[in-house]
Amino acid sequence: MKKISYNHFFIDKIKKYFFLNSLNKMRKKVCVAVSGGLDSMVLINLLLDIPEIESEVAHCNFSLRDQESNEDEFFIRNFCDKKNIICHVKKFDTLNFSKKYKLSIQMAARKLRYDWFSKLLETNSYEYMALGHHFDDSIETFFINVFRGTGIKGLLGIPKKNKKFIRPLSDFNKKEILHYAKIKNIKWRLDRSNQNIKYLRNKIRSILSNFDSFSFHNGLKKTINHLYDENFLIEKKIEEVRKEITIEKKDDPFFWKIECKKIKKLNPLSFYLFKLFSPYGFNDIHSMKYLIHAQSGKQLISKIYRIIKSRNNWILVSHKFLLENINKTYIIQNLKISKKMFLPIDIKFFLNPKKENKKNMCLIDFNKIQFPLLLRTWRKGDFFYPLKMKGKKKLSKYYKEKKFSLLKKEHTWLLINGNGSIILIIGNRLDDRFKVTENTKEILGIKKKYN
């Protein structure tokens, strides 16, 4: 293959990747993640050869290979100086970070670099963050996921594009990249840790080197392309099912109400449960199947979310959002201060309200109120005297009789008197001891805003 044609072979594909043609004259500002290794050095040199792309460099020094890490940094800085391009460098204490957050060295380094890359994207108005992964990396990821156990999505390798993170070398294999580096006289650094077979990726790389042939790479490329098509159809079907089982869904705060009756009809059930709920951290299929038939109040909790069984429905919410109300108390010192306070619900207090203002208002004998008042959710042992009923009742029993879901219990606020008595279940029931009578001299009106 001639030098000029091989150069065009790369440049033309890269231009198509960025949708660059004679009609598109807009320059694209791209930051390139450069480690100093073969792949990233080829990538930055390629992009610098394309006038329509304005490139800058980001280099991570993970401080894992002693002097070699610093030499890599020096190599990158020197390259950028010669090319007169901006170079961003970040030094990490990767070892201590991995220990602190109990991560493997590889996972710690991955989190550190992607968190930093995301910040660079935000602060520098880059259109993309370009990474040097190529087709051989996707093949290795394919087999890593096979060994760990995966579905179709895990067999797709490394995505060519994920939001603003792009991989322009995805269609090139290692041999092609190496050949390009040689004919263009590109210099790079060797990372000896890539030879260490204690890492699974390096083990797989070593094994795959025995199958280094055109037919092997071409066959896998066709397989992965077929899997992309199949995954597209599956995701389309999952989205249709998601809409079918949904009763209500909101994003802020996250709330998803799902009809159990429709979940039961899904076939194959295990597959649909995994595809629908694993993105929220729910991977225990057996427990999810149990929850379909469980009684109200039962729940499953993941790291960020929880699924609550509520009668014939599932409610999936952020459990952090729910739990923040438990044991949290708001103190209302007086009525004037209450107007300036931030409260978890929108309520207003009216002293001796006029007749025309009393619609949807709870009326309380003001002389029985003792400040400061408290606003909180229910706790074990709470009781009150329901309006127009004789005797007291535990709040837990009252909620059960009224068929309150766990979600509703945690979002129902109580107004507590200064002596500890429950005055009002806001939006629901007044305590009989605080009702307005013929002897009442002053009235406190409370109105809750309903969405």
Side-chain angles (χ1 to χ4, degrees), residues 334-350:
N334 56 59
L335 295 184
K336 287 184 179 180
I337 289 177
S338 72
K339 294 178 182 178
K340 301 177 182 178
M341 287 183 66
F342 169 78
L343 297 174
I345 51 172
D346 192 351
I347 56 171
K348 291 185 178 180
F349 296 92
F350 302 85

Side-chain angles (χ1 to χ4, degrees), residues 66-81:
D66 302 322
Q67 186 57 29
E68 284 187 20
S69 292
N70 295 326
E71 288 171 359
D72 289 347
E73 180 183 327
F74 177 78
F75 173 77
I76 299 301
R77 287 186 184 275
N78 190 46
F79 172 85
C80 292
D81 285 343

Side-chain angles (χ1 to χ4, degrees), residues 234-245:
I234 289 170
E235 292 301 325
K236 190 176 179 181
K237 178 61 179 177
I238 292 298
E239 186 55 36
E240 290 173 3
V241 170
R242 186 180 285 110
K243 289 178 181 178
E244 287 173 9
I245 67 173

